Amino acid sequence: MQLLKYLQAQGLGSRKQCQALIADAAVQINDMVCTDTRMDIDPQTVSSLKIDDVNLIPVPLPHFYIRLHKPADYETSHKPQYYPSVFSLLPEPLRHLDMQAVGRLDADTTGVLILTNDGQFNHRCTSPKHKLPKIYRVSLKHAADDKLCTILKNGVLLHDDNETVQAEAAELIDAHTLLLTITSGKYHQVKRMVAAAGNRVIALHRCAFGSWQADDLPIGGWRFFQPESDQM
C-alpha cells in the first residue's frame, strides 16, 4: 500500500491533506520520516505512527475490530438524537473512519459493544442462524424468584411481535439481579422479555457478546482485537 493511501486509510484526511502532511515531513512511521507519497507501506509492520511528533494509534488494515466498554447515555449511532454518539468515545482521527457497530445497545444500556469496518464479520455476528450468545446482567424493579427464570426459558410472547422468544439461559444472582443469555437480537428484546414475564428492567449491562467482554476496560475505554485470537 502506498504511503498516501495508507494515511487516508488511517483517517488522516483527504488525498490533498495527506499529501500536505507528507510534503511537510510531518509523517513518521516506525520512527522514520516519510516524504515519498509512493513509498510502499506494509500495514502489518507498522508499530508506531506519528504526525507532527504526536503519537497516533495505527489502525490495523484492511479490517479492524474494536471492543468498547459502552457507558450509559451514549447512542449507538453516527447520527445521535438525544445523547452523544458512542463513536465520539474514540480518539481523533479514528472516530471518523467508516465503521459500524455490530448490533446496537440502547442509550441507557452499558457493556461490551463491538465496532468494525468488516461487513462480513458484522453479518456473521448478527445473523440469526449463527445464534451468537449475548449475556446480560439485568437489574429488576420487582423482587423475583426462580419462576421468572422458568418463564423466560420456556418463552414469552413479545408485545406487538406475535412471536414467542426464549432465553438460552436465565439465572438469578439475587432477588433483583438476573443473568440472562439470549441468541437473537430483537429491538429492546431483554426489556420486552422481562416485561412480558411480569417484571421491569431498571438497568441493563451486556457482560458478553459471543466470547468477547469489556469489563477489563475502563468505562468508555476501547481496544483493538483480532476475532480469531481474542478470546475474552
Side-chain angles (χ1 to χ4, degrees):
M1 176 181 285
Q2 290 187 349
L3 174 62
L4 182 58
K5 290 186 176 180
Y6 177 78
L7 296 181
Q8 287 181 274
Q10 294 292 310
L12 290 170
S14 65
R15 179 183 178 88
K16 184 176 181 180
Q17 289 170 321
C18 291
Q19 284 176 326
L21 290 174
I22 296 169
D24 291 342
V27 181
Q28 294 182 54
I29 294 179
N30 296 343
D31 295 322
M32 180 178 69
V33 177
C34 304
T35 56
D36 182 357
T37 59
R38 294 172 295 178
M39 177 182 177
D40 187 53
I41 300 295
D42 180 359
Q44 305 301 318
T45 66
V46 177
S47 58
S48 69
L49 172 64
K50 294 181 181 180
I51 302 296
D52 288 326
D53 289 323
V54 176
N55 282 303
L56 301 180
I57 300 175
V59 178
L61 298 174
H63 296 126
F64 60 84
Y65 311 86
I66 293 171
R67 288 189 295 116
L68 174 72
H69 191 156
K70 180 188 173 298
D73 299 334
Y74 279 83
E75 292 186 29
T76 310
S77 172
H78 285 286
K79 297 179 179 180
Q81 293 182 305
Y82 306 107
Y83 298 99
S85 167
V86 293
F87 299 99
S88 69
L89 294 167
L90 302 174
E92 298 277 2
L94 181 59
R95 67 179 64 171
H96 301 298
L97 292 177
D98 184 18
M99 73 182 91
Q100 298 296 325
V102 182
R104 301 172 67 88
L105 288 179
D106 296 340
D108 59 352
T109 302
T110 62
V112 59
L113 183 66
I114 305 299
L115 310 175
T116 185
N117 66 340
D118 186 342
Q120 291 186 348
F121 171 80
N122 195 333
H123 176 73
R124 288 196 304 272
C125 289
T126 55
S127 173
K129 69 178 182 180
H130 287 103
K131 296 185 180 297
L132 191 73
K134 295 165 280 285
I135 304 174
Y136 292 85
R137 185 174 68 245
V138 187
S139 298
L140 302 169
K141 180 176 182 179
H142 308 294
D145 55 27
D146 288 338
K147 181 180 177 181
L148 175 68
C149 298
T150 300
I151 293 172
L152 292 168
K153 288 186 287 187
N154 287 340
V156 292
L157 183 64
L158 299 183
H159 180 62
D160 292 336
D161 205 340
N162 297 321
E163 182 179 352
T164 298
V165 179
Q166 295 174 302
E168 187 72 15
E171 175 189 0
L172 282 175
I173 305 302
D174 57 51
H176 287 274
T177 308
L178 170 70
L179 205 60
L180 186 71
T181 302
I182 61 174
T183 56
S184 50
K186 293 180 175 292
Y187 180 70
H188 289 172
Q189 182 173 334
V190 173
K191 295 175 181 176
R192 293 166 69 200
M193 287 179 70
V194 171
N199 211 308
R200 182 179 172 186
V201 175
I202 59 172
L204 189 60
H205 178 83
R206 185 158 68 188
C207 306
F209 184 90
S211 62
W212 303 296
Q213 303 175 18
D215 288 348
D216 63 315
L217 300 171
I219 296 173
W222 65 277
R223 183 177 298 165
F224 286 121
F225 74 96
Q226 288 299 317
E228 66 277 7
S229 61
D230 189 277
Q231 298 296 323
M232 294 302 300

